[in-house]
Amino acid sequence: MLVNNLSMLDMEEPITVTESDAVDAVEIALQRYSADVTTRAMCLVSLLKLSSRFPPTSERIKEIVAQNKGNTVLELQQRSIEFSSIIQRHQSIKSSLLERMPALDEANYLVKRAASTQAAVSSVNSAPAVTSGGPLKLPNGVAKPPPAPLADLLDLGSDDAPVTTSAPTTSPNDFLQDLLGIGLTDSSPIGGAPSTSTDILMDLLSIGSSPVQNGPPTSNFSLPGIETKPPPVTPQVVDLLDGLSSSTSLPDENAAYPTITAFQSATLRITFSFKKQPGKPQETTINASFTNLATTALTDFVFQAAVPKFIQLRLDPASSSTLPASGNVSVTQSLSVTNNQHGQKPLAMRIRMSYKVNGEDRLEQGQISNFPSGL
């Protein structure tokens, strides 16, 4: 009996799987009602890769993927929209985007990992000893390497960077000066009595008054029931509104943030202007202006930006997707940025621009490192 079964198996013809059969199998799995979100998402990824592996089935795959553009599950809807855009408008980069991932060489990986761990341990051993505070505690004796000053587009972990602070060793008066960010120095003469916190507040409020002359200290305070006479020296009158005359205007809050050139190449120039709302220092509105420096119009223009995790970013739609030639008209787009660690960490941003020149896809990217301070 066993021999007969083996002979029947040998007589069976081999199964031939065509390109269309492979697409059919993935489509059935995608439309199966019992499939979960993860399975359907992997099916969409498989279809995208099959469109590059089997070019004759690209049109059919495009129709299958487009059916999920209105899916109620946000993950599937987003993947469908992105994959449809890749299949339709980015044929030139699709093959390189979907090429095979090289297999991981485990031996080479372990050697590199051991070398990086040894380098981290060496940097810890060579670091200066900490003399202030408690003992230094390091997990497993390995210190985390310092992150890059600006976040990478694919590694936005710069929010883990420690904020360097110095221990306060000054008097309460100096602490008030440091808190207000005004570089006041002690103007009392050598050997004289130190100035009180009242003198500091009076100096801070006398914005445009002349400096106090050396001489006996004067006081504008009187105790109840005790009559005092002023000294012969003319007292200095503190005018709270001194320097704020009607002809003097208050400084503009946005004057400290000049317009910058965020990116420039032979084809494209991007400028950023900044605006802040009063009372919300962590929020910044950026008005981006895109100018075409080439003699040919840029079509299907798309601007993208990435920020670290401690920054929230919202991009409004651009005024147009076509940049006229020779910079005749600039396209604008508004960005709303919220720095949740304002005053501790500066803004960091990576940008990427895609567009077409005479029907040919172009891609440019860069990193903005010249943001004005205080954003």
Side-chain angles (χ1 to χ4, degrees):
M1 185 68 180
L2 180 60
V3 175
N4 293 333
N5 291 337
L6 291 176
S7 61
M8 291 178 64
L9 291 175
D10 293 337
M11 295 175 60
E12 290 182 358
E13 297 181 359
I15 300 176
T16 303
V17 179
T18 63
E19 299 176 353
S20 180
D21 293 337
V23 177
D24 289 339
V26 179
E27 183 181 12
I28 293 173
L30 177 63
Q31 297 178 352
R32 188 182 300 274
Y33 71 93
S34 60
D36 57 6
V37 176
T38 304
T39 302
R40 294 181 180 181
M42 292 300 101
C43 289
L44 290 176
V45 175
S46 301
L47 289 173
L48 178 63
K49 292 184 177 181
L50 289 177
S51 69
S52 177
R53 190 77 56 82
F54 304 145
T57 64
S58 180
E59 287 297 324
R60 181 188 171 191
I61 291 176
K62 181 177 68 174
E63 295 177 358
I64 299 174
V65 172
Q67 293 174 2
N68 290 271
K69 284 186 176 181
N71 199 301
T72 57
V73 180
L74 181 59
E75 175 71 18
L76 301 180
Q77 181 186 119
Q78 180 179 358
R79 286 175 182 260
S80 177
I81 294 175
E82 293 177 351
F83 294 170
S84 297
S85 177
I86 294 175
I87 295 174
Q88 294 177 6
R89 304 194 306 182
H90 300 284
Q91 294 289 338
S92 59
I93 64 174
K94 185 174 68 173
S95 58
S96 59
L97 181 65
L98 303 175
E99 63 183 358
R100 292 178 180 269
M101 293 289 292
L104 177 64
D105 188 349
E106 185 175 0
N108 190 18
Y109 169 75
L110 293 177
V111 170
K112 290 184 178 180
R113 182 178 180 181
S116 61
T117 304
Q118 183 64 30
V121 174
S122 301
S123 63
V124 172
N125 294 334
S126 61
V130 179
T131 57
S132 61
L136 182 62
K137 297 181 180 180
L138 295 175
N140 299 327
V142 179
K144 183 178 180 181
L150 284 179
D152 185 61
L153 186 63
L154 299 178
D155 184 14
L156 301 176
S158 64
D159 56 333
D160 296 332
V163 180
T164 305
T165 57
S166 57
T169 57
T170 58
S171 63
N173 295 343
D174 296 331
F175 174 75
L176 180 59
Q177 297 171 6
D178 295 339
L179 181 64
L180 296 176
I182 302 177
L184 298 177
T185 57
D186 189 4
S187 60
S188 59
I190 300 176
S195 59
T196 63
S197 59
T198 303
D199 298 330
I200 293 176
L201 290 176
M202 293 170 64
D203 292 338
L204 293 178
L205 294 175
S206 57
I207 299 174
S209 60
S210 59
V212 179
Q213 302 293 332
N214 293 331
T218 61
S219 176
N220 293 332
F221 303 96
S222 61
L223 297 176
I226 300 177
E227 190 175 310
T228 59
K229 294 182 180 181
V233 180
T234 304
Q236 297 292 330
V237 180
V238 178
D239 186 4
L240 299 182
L241 300 179
D242 187 13
L244 297 179
S245 60
S246 59
S247 60
T248 304
S249 59
L250 290 173
D252 185 6
E253 187 177 359
N254 298 317
Y257 309 110
T259 300
I260 64 170
T261 299
F263 176 86
Q264 183 165 349
S265 64
T267 308
L268 182 65
R269 180 173 65 239
I270 304 176
T271 58
F272 280 2
S273 60
F274 309 94
K275 182 179 180 181
K276 281 185 173 291
Q277 296 294 333
K280 298 180 179 179
Q282 72 276 9
E283 298 181 5
T284 306
T285 301
I286 303 177
N287 185 27
S289 179
F290 310 101
T291 304
N292 180 11
L293 304 179
T295 57
T296 306
L298 309 182
T299 59
D300 294 341
F301 180 81
V302 177
F303 173 77
Q304 296 175 308
V307 293
K309 290 183 290 185
F310 64 89
I311 298 178
Q312 297 177 355
L313 173 64
R314 188 187 80 242
L315 278 74
D316 294 337
S319 59
S320 176
S321 60
T322 301
L323 275 64
S326 304
N328 294 330
V329 180
S330 296
V331 174
T332 59
Q333 187 170 4
S334 180
L335 296 79
S336 298
V337 177
T338 301
N339 187 353
N340 294 321
Q341 297 191 21
H342 178 265
Q344 300 179 13
K345 297 182 180 180
L347 283 186
M349 185 179 296
R350 273 187 169 271
I351 57 175
R352 180 166 57 188
M353 293 71 62
S354 61
Y355 53 87
K356 289 185 178 181
V357 180
N358 294 328
E360 180 182 354
D361 292 324
R362 297 288 181 86
L363 183 66
E364 293 188 81
Q365 63 182 8
Q367 179 172 293
I368 304 177
S369 57
N370 59 335
F371 280 109
S373 60
L375 297 179

